[in-house]
């Protein structure tokens, strides 16, 4: 039996042999007491990669975003975010459930941005009838918009706007290194205007667990307290952080390969008549394709038939698939995926 090609997400990535080796040998201590040397090194390394003063190792991107919002906002404060943002769609409503945060969504543009005029027009004044607008959340790359890449210029303009109004900016940079690779800029350029930024070690970077939340010393001190409140204070988690360090050292610079393969996959699929590209050509490691309306099978059925041929794809809605390229899918994997689509369609 040939290996399964799993394109459902880059979260399915297994740790590399170098990661397992580093985990085995990791020096560890009680991180709640600040004594895990491996976590301390990972946090320093992450902060440097984001151009921030400090970092905090957290269990997931969801926890990183939640903690950031809880630091920036008090109960009843308003946070502005895109209507297709991960925090709005896919984080269980945690910021409202646990933080009492008032969510204000604005439309994401197809490129993943939010029109800054709309942001400006949504910031409330000091009228006691209204909640206090405290935060803008942006996402880069933008997952649900198609893995789109947002430029440093936009990030800077957004930062200038919200800071001028006394708000904070949080960047959900789950795949910020994909954005940086696609743009050919350092990730620090994308994070510079953000007061806080979180990125995932456990996606395209292949680590088994974890994200890092970064910001200034004061922000991270508060974030550390909230992580503890949420039950996220881990002890000898250096075994996990060790894999995260390998992720940052070895896996960041290769992300461009996934982008090349995403385009190759899209180019091949473009020849298949039932398929269209709802978000255009891939900008990073994601390929979204849609079945035309009059095609007889729905996405779930097509996905089941692809799976029977050893290819797993994500089903986004009854007509749309998402495929995410990652370290464990090579050129041959792309060829086999194209062949499987050819056979099924
Ligand atoms: C995956 C992801 C997250 C967080 O995911 P976890 O599964 O909680 O680690 C946050 N934002 C975006 C844009 C994501 O794609």
């Amino acid at each position: 039996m040939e290996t399964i090609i799993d394109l459902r997400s880059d979260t399915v990535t297994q740790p590399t042999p170098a990661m397992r080796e580093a985990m085995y040998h990791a020096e560890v201590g009680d991180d709640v007491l600040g004594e895990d040397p491996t976590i301390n090194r990972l946090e320093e390394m992450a902060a440097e990669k984001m151009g921030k003063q400090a970092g905090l190792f957290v269990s997931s991107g969801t926890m990183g975003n939640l903690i950031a919002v809880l630091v920036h906002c008090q109960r009843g404060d308003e946070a502005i975010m895109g209507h297709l943002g991960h925090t709005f769609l896919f984080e269980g409503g945690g910021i409202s459930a646990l933080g009492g945060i008032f969510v204000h969504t604005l439309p994401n543009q197809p490129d993943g941005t939010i029109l800054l005029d709309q942001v400006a027009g949504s910031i409330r004044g000091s009228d006691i009838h209204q909640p206090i607008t405290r935060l803008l959340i942006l996402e880069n790359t933008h997952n649900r918009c198609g893995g789109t890449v947002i430029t440093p210029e936009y990030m800077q303009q957004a930062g200038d706007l919200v800071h001028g109004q006394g708000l904070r900016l949080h960047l959900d940079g789950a795949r910020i290194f994909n954005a940086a690779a696609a743009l050919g800029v350092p990730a620090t350029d994308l994070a510079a205007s953000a007061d806080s930024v979180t990125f995932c070690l456990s996606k395209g970077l292949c680590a088994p667990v974890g994200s890092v939340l970064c910001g200034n010393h004061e922000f991270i001190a508060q974030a550390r307290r909230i992580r503890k409140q949420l039950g996220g204070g881990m002890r000898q988690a250096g075994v996990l952080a060790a894999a995260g360090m390998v992720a940052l050292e070895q896996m960041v610079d290769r992300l461009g390969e996934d982008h090349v393969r995403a385009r190759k996959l899209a180019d091949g699929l473009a020849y298949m008549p039932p398929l269209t590209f709802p978000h255009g050509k891939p900008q990073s490691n994601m390929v979204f394709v849609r079945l035309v309306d009059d095609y007889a099978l729905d996405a779930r059925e097509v996905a089941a038939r692809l799976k029977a041929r050893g290819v797993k794809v994500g089903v986004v809605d009854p007509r749309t698939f998402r495929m995410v390229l990652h370290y464990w899918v090579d050129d041959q994997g792309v060829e086999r995926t194209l062949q499987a689509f050819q056979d099924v369609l």
Side-chain angles (χ1 to χ4, degrees), residues 60-62 65 86 91 139 141 143 172 174-175 200 202-203 211:
S60 67
T62 298
N65 286 335
H86 196 277
E91 296 175 12
E139 187 175 313
T141 63
N143 184 341
D172 176 355
R175 296 185 183 81
C200 290
S202 60
K203 292 185 171 167
S211 289

Side-chain angles (χ1 to χ4, degrees), residues 13 17 62 98 121 142 181 204 216 261 264 278 333 340:
T13 45
T62 298
L98 302 170
H142 200 290
N216 67 24
R261 291 197 179 101
K264 250 177 77 175

Side-chain angles (χ1 to χ4, degrees), residues 229-253:
Q229 288 181 328
L230 294 172
M234 296 181 282
R235 302 295 177 173
Q236 288 74 30
V239 285
L240 302 174
M245 294 209 336
V246 175
L248 286 181
E249 284 166 349
Q250 299 183 5
M251 306 306 281
V252 170
D253 290 342

Side-chain angles (χ1 to χ4, degrees), residues 103-142:
V103 171
H104 186 159
T105 57
L106 291 175
N108 278 115
Q109 300 303 300
D111 65 0
T113 62
I114 301 170
L115 294 177
L116 294 179
D117 285 349
Q118 289 188 357
V119 174
S122 300
I123 298 170
R124 320 261 194 156
S126 55
D127 185 332
I128 62 163
H129 292 86
Q130 302 184 347
I132 296 169
T133 312
R134 198 72 81 179
L135 180 68
L136 172 66
I137 305 176
L138 295 173
E139 187 175 313
N140 199 5
T141 63
H142 200 290

Side-chain angles (χ1 to χ4, degrees), residues 266-323:
D267 287 345
L269 294 171
Y271 288 102
M272 302 182 195
L275 299 178
T276 61
F277 294 85
H279 302 293
K281 286 301 166 73
Q283 293 182 20
S284 60
N285 65 334
M286 294 184 188
V287 184
F288 282 74
V289 290
R290 192 174 193 285
L291 293 163
V292 292
D293 288 334
D294 59 2
Y295 188 70
L297 304 176
D298 70 2
R300 198 181 295 275
E301 181 57 34
V302 171
R305 295 182 188 194
L306 290 168
K307 189 176 166 195
R309 287 162 177 79
V311 176
K312 293 185 182 178
V313 301
V315 174
V316 176
D317 67 38
R319 303 217 73 81
T320 311
F321 308 103
R322 187 185 75 160
M323 286 162 280

